[in-house]
Structures are given as structure tokens and as C-alpha cells.
Amino acid sequence: TNATDLTDIANHPYICLAAGNVATAGALQTNIDMENGAIETYTDICYYSNNIDDITYKKAAEILGDEKIHLSTLLKYKNNINKTI
């Protein structure tokens, strides 16, 4: 699958993959950047909904936890790649 196909499938404004073949390390960094953006967004949602909208806060906090796990996993992958370069 090339980057254009992934962009077409995802169809999300924050996904800006380069056209053509994308190296694993580059694609990984793109994913790390997107996870950091998601963490920032859900952190803001938690901040602004806390003590105002309990349902939104709880769901955003749940998603935020998932995003942090995703980021941790991606950073482990990146560390492993860097060890082999």
C-alpha cells in the first residue's frame, strides 16, 4: 500500500503523508506526531469538560489513556529501529 492509498482510506485533515513510498521510520514518526496531536486534543477536552460535562470528560479521559498507550508503543518501535540503524 502506498501513502496515497492510506490518505484516501483515512480521509482525515491531520493526516498528511507524502506521496509515493514512505520509509518505515518516516511513517512511524508521522504516527508519533499524530498521537501527540491526539493527546493534546483529548487533554484539552478533559480540561474544559471537567466538572461541567461528566460524560464527555469520562469518554475523553478513556480515549486519552488509549492514545498514551499508542504513543508509548510507537516510541518503543522507534527506539528499536534507532538501535538497528
Side-chain angles (χ1 to χ4, degrees):
T1 303
N2 66 39
T4 304
D5 295 334
L6 293 174
T7 303
D8 292 342
I9 292 167
N11 194 20
H12 193 283
Y14 294 113
I15 298 177
C16 302
L17 298 176
N21 293 329
V22 178
T24 301
L28 184 58
Q29 186 59 52
T30 298
N31 277 285
I32 289 169
D33 294 342
M34 289 188 297
E35 291 296 339
N36 279 320
I39 289 169
E40 181 180 331
T41 298
Y42 285 107
T43 298
D44 287 347
I45 292 170
C46 287
Y47 175 80
Y48 289 111
S49 64
N50 192 22
N51 297 320
I52 296 171
D53 182 344
D54 290 339
I55 294 171
T56 299
Y57 175 81
K58 288 177 184 176
K59 184 48 85 174
E62 179 183 319
I63 295 169
L64 177 60
D66 289 343
E67 298 301 336
K68 288 180 178 181
I69 291 169
H70 299 160
L71 178 61
S72 175
T73 300
L74 293 171
L75 290 172
K76 287 177 188 174
Y77 293 158
K78 183 178 179 180
N79 187 42
N80 287 340
I81 289 172
N82 288 341
K83 286 180 183 178
T84 63
I85 295 176

